[in-house]
Amino acid sequence: MPDTGLLLYGGAFGLILIGIAGIVLSAHLVRIIFAVALLEAGANLLLLLATWHQGAAAPIIVAGRVPDLMADPVPQALVLTAIVIGVGILALALSLALRVQRAYGTLDMHEVRRHMEQDIADEAGIDMPSSSHAPAAVQTARQESGA
Amino acid sequence: MNQLALLVALPLITAFLLPVVNRVSTLAARWLGPLVLLVTSAIGISLWSQLGDSAVAVELGGFRPPLGITLYADRLALLFALATSIGTLLLWPSRGEEWLRQSTLALILAASGSGLALSGDLFNIYVFYELVAVVSYGLIAARSSAGSFAATVRYLIVSSFGAALALTGIALVYQATGTLNLAQLSQLAPTHLNNLQGLAAFVLMLIGFGVKAELFPVNTWVPEVYATAPTRVSGLLAGVVSKLALLIIVRLLVLVFNQPEALTVMLVLGMLGVVTGELAAWRARDFNRMIAYSSIGQLGIMFIAFSIPGQAGVFAGLAVALHHLVVKPAMFLLAGRWQGSLDRLAGAARTSPLGAVLFILLALSLIGVPPLPGFWAKLLVMVNLMAQENTLYSVGAWVIMGGAALEANYLFRVASSFYHRSEQQTPPVAHRTRDLATASLLGAGLVAGAVLIMPLADEIEGVASQAANRDQYVQTVNPEALP
Amino acid sequence: MQRLSSALFLLGLGLLIAAIFRGMEFGTVAPIVGQAINSAAAEQVGAANFVTAVVLGYRGFDTLLELTILFTAATAGGMVLGKRSPTAKRDPDAGFILQAGADLLFPLLVIVGLYIILHGHLTPGGGFQGGVILASAFFVPILARPGTRMSHTAVSTIEGLAGASFIFIGLLAMFGGEAFLTPLMGQGELGALLSAGSLPVLYLAVGLKVGSELAGLLAQLSESEAVD
């Protein structure tokens, strides 16, 4: 087992871990979106490495010469697909983030969530259950403006 | 049988061309979508009648499996492909400002849902799953309110997280076996995937595909999305899309991962889903979130049912799933005018008597009151759970009983308020005719199911026994043995 | 408190992944499908680039769906971002150097993009890579002159027709009695520009679709940005 392989596999799992950590730990929406992109990159790298072989040539025939050992073309095609899917979702996520920022004036997910719960409660015509995330000052300000 | 690909290709090509058609004639663009879905439904029905007990595999691109992608249709797959087409047709987006984009998205949802049910290739399933996800983001955000954007982006993060985990699981499977064809994986699984890596791959895919199936830890999006999305879209997501995700998990369990540990994981997550979903529904104070949480509970029952090993589990789970497929969209259609606080519903029976009766019918079936189909489905699950030796399964049975008691409590609380006269408050406005007509159609289907329960049960058992038949799948696809 | 529980969750996940990692045997399983494709692709598909043979031949269905995902993301993005208000302020145009540079780059980018698309079955590259270059060709002038607007009618017509033609080529095979998306028009001579049957046509459709989709998405985002 060559060391390059270990390094690459370690990198793939590392990217996956960093991505998950970013999603779980950060509160800023744009950071979370980039953490998702990192997680996807890790998954793609792992897929590419699934049948990776040290020293395999690209699976392309140039001037009729067939290489002795060619890389597996399937994961390369799969990763191409997965990357394009990721780009589409990333663009949509950023458009949504733009609108959320414009509506609530913040990208902090705790704040966004509180505003959203408030919106849902207002529309439904029920009181909002007091949230443990909301600072007390904001809640009193809301009550005053509502009164 | 070659027409199988048309179930995907026809709605897709229509979706691509719809903006162009609209520039020529708005009238044509309005009617093209429903028309194409009628055609695909007709194709689906004709394929169903030809199918019988056999199954077919279509080799896309003319390449023999496992090199190319295969579509596989047994009666289960065809049933869900058909349910997607008909469901999208029934819940076709109402006319609004963005009707063109919404119709385009609805057509793509029909195509991708059918494809998800039919696909026989692991990575192709992932791509279809992502397509369903992106379409649902668009449809949820269609209301263009700040709340719906926030709910969509939160859903997008959970869903992309799940999809990336599923992709990691697929990478682990490909690393262990070198193939993506489900039939070939089924042949290789006993020697290559019956280990820790195989179990890890399954759990990753269970969580990944479980996002749409409202599986316990990854269902945080459910109440927010169903409270902010257009009610027709919520009906589609809860009724049809969640079942498609479940169908994939069942296929994976039947064909590839038949370790007992995999079933236990699913059973425990299902029980947690029932407990948390029903408790939250019981506490909910607005209509949309009440039925959203109750759908988490119902899907938990399906996960418990499908975790019963063998054909019995597939039969029981399928019965609950089909019942929910009919009931939940009808509930969401009623939510169209009744969304908001439950207190506002006092006296709703005066303005919408038919709606109130329908709600009570659906609620009775959801709780499991005989002779409605919901009772038979739950009975089937309970009997099979009790027949298992493992005590965890009897715990599952008690959890379902407890959930049903809670359901009865909160659904009747709502139903009784319909007939409660309150002087200070005006009851909600009557339902839109189209919503009420569609909901009545689904309710009539439920009653017909209660009357014809014996032939229906035989039919579902036939579908389940075919779906649980691993050998038929492998022989029909017949992947070439490679060195 | 929430931070702490998240950190604990991550620690557990890390240990789990480490356990899987230790149990995995890297590179012991031969890529059976990949090897079979490597030995059969030249004869079955006729593309010298086997990755292209997989992307458009063996797994052409995936590629069709991938295009659909881009199309869907662009449609949904258009719905989310909404229409631009006509009174909104625009960014000022860039200076002379950037404008002249953008004019100079435009034809070069178009040619390079088309070259990469049309040689996708022979060399690394293809519809996706070339399509992205095409998209940038149309987007660079917008960066130089934020006032100019991309014609959304043209963009949506190109994306609709390009996507439909991909499916149409697939359906043509079906009317000929073969399976959906079967490559047409023979294999040709391996390595020649006009080889691999309908694959270059499919890649051209992919390239145009990816290009128009991405250009449309970028233009929507940049137009929306200027509203604040």
Side-chain angles (χ1 to χ4, degrees):
Chain A
M1 161 98 235
D3 282 338
T4 334
L6 198 64
L7 196 69
L8 287 170
Y9 269 101
F13 280 111
L15 276 174
I16 291 175
L17 259 187
I18 294 171
I20 296 176
I23 295 172
V24 176
L25 293 178
S26 33
H28 193 272
L29 180 54
V30 174
R31 280 193 203 175
I32 295 177
I33 291 174
F34 284 132
V36 170
L38 273 181
L39 174 60
E40 276 166 4
N44 288 342
L45 184 53
L46 193 67
L47 189 57
L48 205 54
L49 287 173
T51 51
W52 174 80
H53 205 290
Q54 177 104 44
I60 299 175
I61 297 181
V62 184
R65 267 184 293 113
V66 182
D68 295 335
L69 181 63
M70 281 191 284
D72 182 355
V74 177
Q76 310 199 14
L78 303 186
V79 166
L80 181 61
T81 308
I83 288 174
V84 176
I85 294 173
V87 168
I89 293 179
L90 189 69
L92 186 58
L94 289 175
S95 330
L96 283 164
L98 205 70
R99 288 302 298 259
V100 167
Q101 205 274 339
R102 219 178 282 161
Y104 293 147
T106 175
L107 283 169
D108 182 287
M109 280 316 266
H110 299 312
E111 288 282 297
V112 168
R113 180 172 178 195
R114 199 177 50 73
H115 281 294
M116 180 189 69
E117 297 277 352
Q118 185 72 48
D119 274 358
I120 296 175
D122 285 349
E123 198 188 346
I126 50 177
D127 307 327
M128 169 134 122
S130 59
S131 158
S132 56
H133 295 309
V138 183
Q139 279 193 342
T140 41
R142 268 194 173 274
Q143 278 159 13
E144 278 161 16
S145 66
Chain B
M1 281 299 150
N2 222 340
Q3 303 101 307
L4 211 52
L6 286 182
L7 293 182
V8 181
L10 274 187
L12 273 192
I13 198 169
T14 319
F16 286 153
L17 289 177
L18 210 55
V20 183
V21 171
N22 182 48
R23 233 163 270 137
V24 182
S25 156
T26 313
L27 190 73
R30 272 191 200 278
W31 287 100
L32 193 59
L35 204 68
V36 166
L37 287 186
L38 270 180
V39 172
T40 52
S41 306
I43 294 174
I45 291 171
S46 87
L47 286 174
W48 173 278
S49 61
Q50 292 169 32
L51 203 57
D53 274 333
S54 63
V56 282
V58 173
E59 295 155 7
L60 290 175
F63 300 105
R64 291 280 300 128
L67 299 196
I69 293 175
T70 333
L71 292 183
Y72 175 83
D74 56 0
R75 275 190 287 169
L76 180 70
L78 212 51
L79 183 65
F80 278 92
L82 208 54
T84 317
S85 288
I86 296 176
T88 318
L89 194 61
L90 286 180
L91 299 171
W92 191 252
S94 29
R95 291 178 180 195
E97 215 179 302
E98 292 280 13
W99 68 271
L100 182 65
R101 284 191 172 122
Q102 287 195 40
S103 314
T104 311
L105 292 178
L107 276 171
I108 298 175
L109 183 68
S112 54
S114 308
L116 201 52
L118 295 171
S119 180
D121 182 283
L122 200 50
F123 189 79
N124 191 241
I125 287 176
Y126 163 80
V127 180
F128 267 123
Y129 182 78
E130 284 280 42
L131 184 54
V132 171
V134 180
V135 175
S136 36
Y137 308 147
L139 286 171
I140 296 163
R143 259 178 75 191
S144 289
S145 65
S148 76
F149 290 139
T152 310
V153 81
R154 282 171 57 89
Y155 175 37
L156 185 146
I157 289 164
V158 180
S159 182
S160 305
F161 168 75
L165 288 191
L167 189 61
T168 312
I170 291 171
L172 290 182
V173 168
Y174 191 73
Q175 201 268 338
T177 61
T179 184
L180 294 162
N181 186 286
L182 284 185
Q184 197 173 34
L185 280 176
S186 176
Q187 291 172 327
L188 294 176
T191 49
H192 290 68
L193 286 170
N194 200 359
N195 50 22
L196 181 66
Q197 188 179 342
L199 188 64
F202 173 72
V203 173
L204 287 170
M205 283 192 262
L206 176 68
I207 294 176
F209 294 129
V211 173
K212 291 243 159 358
E214 304 171 17
L215 183 67
F216 166 64
V218 278
N219 54 14
T220 49
W221 57 273
V222 172
E224 304 162 4
V225 163
Y226 293 172
T228 52
T231 48
R232 286 168 173 270
V233 174
S234 306
L236 261 180
L237 289 184
V240 180
V241 173
S242 62
K243 308 301 177 303
L244 292 170
L246 203 60
L247 173 71
I248 300 169
I249 294 170
V250 173
R251 275 262 194 266
L252 288 177
L253 273 176
V254 168
L255 293 174
V256 186
F257 302 99
N258 24 31
Q259 298 113 303
E261 294 91 347
L263 293 177
T264 311
V265 172
M266 210 163 102
L267 175 63
V268 172
L269 292 179
M271 285 197 282
L272 287 169
V274 174
V275 172
T276 52
E278 297 295 1
L279 277 176
W282 184 69
R283 286 192 54 208
R285 286 175 303 159
D286 64 297
F287 195 85
N288 271 24
R289 275 192 279 191
M290 182 186 80
I291 49 182
Y293 280 121
S294 114
S295 107
I296 293 181
Q298 296 287 328
L299 276 142
I301 298 179
M302 284 169 229
F303 276 110
I304 294 177
F306 280 122
S307 71
I308 301 168
Q311 189 197 322
V314 180
F315 181 27
L318 188 62
V320 185
L322 289 177
H323 169 250
H324 193 245
L325 182 70
V326 174
V327 170
K328 205 61 133 322
M331 278 275 194
F332 273 107
L333 284 169
L334 292 179
R337 278 288 192 266
W338 286 350
Q339 57 188 328
S341 170
L342 292 174
D343 302 334
R344 285 192 205 155
L345 293 179
R350 264 182 295 158
T351 49
S352 189
L354 181 59
V357 171
L358 266 176
F359 178 85
I360 293 170
L361 176 75
L362 299 172
L364 287 176
S365 193
L366 261 189
I367 298 162
V369 176
L372 290 166
F375 164 74
W376 299 106
K378 265 193 189 162
L379 186 71
L380 198 61
V381 178
M382 300 299 270
V383 167
N384 283 308
L385 280 175
M386 290 301 191
Q388 298 297 315
E389 281 178 12
N390 192 336
T391 42
L392 207 53
Y393 284 105
S394 14
V395 177
W398 286 108
V399 166
I400 295 179
M401 290 287 262
L406 277 175
E407 258 175 1
N409 182 304
Y410 64 77
L411 287 173
F412 277 126
R413 203 174 55 201
V414 174
S416 65
S417 79
F418 289 160
Y419 294 94
H420 180 80
R421 276 173 192 278
S422 127
E423 299 307 322
Q424 314 95 313
Q425 218 179 350
T426 47
V429 280
H431 286 95
R432 275 180 296 242
T433 324
R434 198 179 139 208
D435 284 356
L436 206 56
T438 317
S440 312
L441 196 66
L442 292 168
L446 202 63
V447 175
V451 176
L452 300 172
I453 191 72
M454 285 335 274
L456 190 66
D458 286 345
E459 187 71 26
I460 295 175
E461 190 169 17
V463 174
S465 77
Q466 199 185 14
N469 190 343
R470 209 174 131 230
D471 295 335
Q472 189 185 24
Y473 196 109
V474 175
Q475 278 159 19
T476 309
V477 176
N478 188 19
E480 265 174 50
L482 295 169
Chain C
M1 192 55 214
Q2 207 191 357
R3 285 267 159 133
L4 189 70
S5 54
S6 307
L8 281 177
F9 164 74
L10 280 175
L11 192 72
L13 194 78
L15 287 176
L16 185 74
I17 289 184
I20 301 167
F21 190 43
R22 277 177 60 87
M24 276 173 72
E25 294 164 40
F26 302 119
T28 47
V29 175
I32 46 175
V33 174
Q35 276 174 356
I37 286 180
N38 274 343
S39 53
E43 193 190 324
Q44 283 184 345
V45 183
N49 180 350
F50 293 163
V51 178
T52 300
V54 176
V55 167
L56 291 178
Y58 296 100
R59 307 192 69 91
F61 197 49
D62 275 351
T63 305
L64 170 62
L65 298 174
E66 178 184 358
L67 290 180
T68 317
I69 289 186
L70 269 186
F71 174 74
T72 312
T75 309
M79 201 145 79
V80 167
L81 291 171
K83 282 203 189 75
R84 178 190 159 78
S85 75
T87 53
K89 219 172 63 202
R90 292 179 189 282
D91 289 340
D93 283 2
F96 170 76
I97 294 181
L98 276 184
Q99 291 196 19
D103 291 344
L104 206 67
L105 270 178
F106 177 76
L108 290 177
L109 284 174
V110 171
I111 290 171
V112 172
L114 285 176
Y115 179 89
I116 289 180
I117 292 172
L118 291 176
H119 287 75
H121 57 300
L122 304 176
T123 56
F128 289 100
Q129 295 86 336
V132 172
I133 296 177
L134 273 190
S136 63
F138 286 91
F139 189 61
V140 163
I142 292 189
L143 284 181
R145 295 186 197 83
T148 50
R149 297 219 25 205
M150 195 176 283
S151 161
H152 288 292
T153 323
V155 167
S156 78
T157 308
I158 292 175
E159 74 183 28
L161 291 180
S165 59
F166 192 107
I167 302 182
F168 186 69
I169 294 171
L171 288 176
L172 269 186
M174 259 181 93
F175 294 132
E178 298 190 69
F180 183 56
L181 287 175
T182 305
L184 302 169
M185 306 192 288
Q187 278 88 37
E189 187 194 338
L190 191 72
L193 183 57
L194 287 179
S195 66
S198 54
L199 259 59
V201 188
L202 287 181
Y203 243 168
L204 188 63
V206 171
L208 289 178
K209 183 140 178 91
V210 170
S212 55
E213 219 80 80
L214 277 180
L217 255 173
L218 287 172
Q220 267 168 4
L221 269 174
S222 76
E223 281 175 22
S224 157
E225 197 106 36
V227 173
D228 299 286

